Every structure is written in structure tokens, then in C-alpha cells.
Amino acid sequence: GFRQATEHLIGHGHKRIAFLAEYMHYSINLLQKGYRTAMRSAGLPVGKRWKMEFLWNPDFAEQLLHLIEKEKITAFLCTTEILGGRLMVWLKQHGYRIPEDIAIISYYGSTFADAMAPSLTTLYYPLEEICSTAVGMVLEKVQKQSLERVAKPVKIKSKLHFGASCGCPEQEMKIIWWDGVPAPIDKLQKQQQR
């Protein structure tokens, strides 16, 4: 997942990219692994202080300014859209322009990403494809009357929803309101194509 996001930022010319999380736990470590793999594959450094936790971190402002001013970080990967959005607001309050000075990519895939200004680029897993694949696997087991485990895990690749926070052009918003809770990005994209 974050390998793809990191490669996208590298494609925009970023060489100093930091990793931001609420706190470090198992699934966050998987995202961090993708980030590190992409940086190493591109021959780029990963500084020891280029990862930062925000949960109960009263020193976040000092640490962010250190990353930007001393470490010369030009892009951030954020493990949630809320973190990415709040980072964007904080950066703007401190005189930074998104994406001209600092680029941001987040993770989750809700329509919240399009509500930011500029819109937030976000990595997501296509829920419809995941559900369709899972239902197909269950139906196959029922038809075969099998209780065996799936022999080979099915991998569903994450996708990037391109907002302007990474440096991509801003897309026209075609839907402003939807019913219910924030829709997953892939569902909103289908509605916009109609």
C-alpha cells in the first residue's frame, strides 16, 4: 500500500519523505515497511527521525518544524485521512502551501479526502472488489461443500485516489452531498462517472 503512495511522491520529485502515524502498531508497521521499501528501491535515504507518532505527543509542533526546516522533508505519508487533514490545516496555519511546499498522501479512502482544500490524495482498498471476491470465495466453498482453507491467499491491490495534496491537478467535484455515512472513495467515483 504505502509503497505505491511513496513511489507516487517520488514521481513528483520528492526525495525526503516522512512517515506520520497516530501511534505505531502492527498494521502501521506494514504500511511503514512499504514506505521504506520504496525509498530504498529508489536509492533514497530514510532518516531515523523521519517517522513520528502523534497520539499524546505534546512536542509534535517542534518535531514537525524540525523535519521541515532541518531535515528538509518535502512530503508526508499519513496513516489516516484525519491525520492528513489536520496536518494540512496545521501546515497552512504556519505558512506552508500544499502541495507547493509540502505534499501529503493519506490512507483510508473515505470521501472526507475530497472535502479538504486542496483535496487530499488517499490510498484505499476497493471495498466493492474485496466484498465481491469474498462472496465469490464463500459461494465456491458452499458449492463444493468444502471446509478447507483457501489454498492461496487472494491479494487485492490498493489504489490511489488522486487529490491535489500530492501535486496532481485538482479534480472537479461532481457530487457535494451523499446519503448516510461518508461513502468509500470507490463508490463515490462510480457515482461521479454516471
Side-chain angles (χ1 to χ4, degrees):
F2 260 25
R3 179 177 186 160
Q4 179 185 9
T6 306
E7 289 169 348
H8 184 74
L9 288 170
I10 292 168
H12 277 290
H14 295 282
K15 294 179 171 41
R16 301 179 76 78
I17 302 167
F19 182 91
L20 307 181
E22 298 83 7
Y23 63 98
M24 297 298 170
H25 56 81
Y26 176 73
S27 63
I28 297 300
N29 289 337
L30 293 176
L31 294 174
Q32 189 177 13
K33 182 179 177 185
Y35 153 71
R36 289 181 174 281
T37 300
M39 293 291 281
R40 287 190 183 115
S41 293
L44 298 174
V46 176
K48 288 183 181 184
R49 297 180 68 182
W50 292 11
K51 87 174 175 186
M52 193 173 139
E53 294 181 65
F54 279 81
L55 191 63
W56 299 298
N57 181 353
D59 300 323
F60 81 91
E62 180 183 315
Q63 292 170 4
L64 276 174
L65 290 173
H66 174 83
L67 287 172
I68 296 166
E69 294 172 2
K70 303 285 189 227
E71 301 283 341
K72 304 298 184 201
I73 295 297
T74 62
F76 290 101
L77 291 166
C78 299
T79 56
T80 67
E81 287 168 359
I82 297 293
L83 180 56
R86 291 187 59 88
L87 173 67
M88 193 181 305
V89 170
W90 187 90
L91 288 168
K92 287 181 189 179
Q93 289 173 345
H94 288 82
Y96 295 99
R97 298 168 302 152
I98 314 300
E100 295 86 352
D101 300 324
I102 303 289
I104 300 171
I105 293 182
S106 66
Y107 171 73
Y108 187 65
S110 78
T111 50
F112 171 78
D114 285 337
M116 299 301 301
S119 58
L120 189 57
T121 299
T122 188
L123 182 74
Y124 71 98
Y125 286 91
L127 293 179
E128 194 169 305
E129 183 180 348
I130 291 169
C131 293
S132 175
T133 301
V135 168
M137 293 168 76
V138 168
L139 289 174
E140 183 179 333
K141 287 188 159 296
V142 168
Q143 288 173 346
K144 292 182 177 179
Q145 297 181 353
S146 170
L147 296 175
E148 292 181 27
R149 296 185 92 187
V150 176
K152 186 177 176 185
V154 176
K155 291 185 179 180
I156 296 177
K157 190 172 170 104
S158 58
K159 297 181 180 184
L160 276 173
H161 172 73
F162 301 104
S165 68
C166 66
C168 287
E170 189 73 68
Q171 301 294 315
E172 178 185 359
M173 188 181 291
K174 296 180 181 175
I175 295 176
I176 293 178
W177 178 253
W178 55 91
D179 249 352
V181 297
I185 284 288
D186 50 346
K187 183 175 182 179
L188 185 64
Q189 287 173 336
K190 280 187 173 183
Q191 290 175 350
Q192 289 178 342
Q193 291 171 356
R194 292 181 190 159

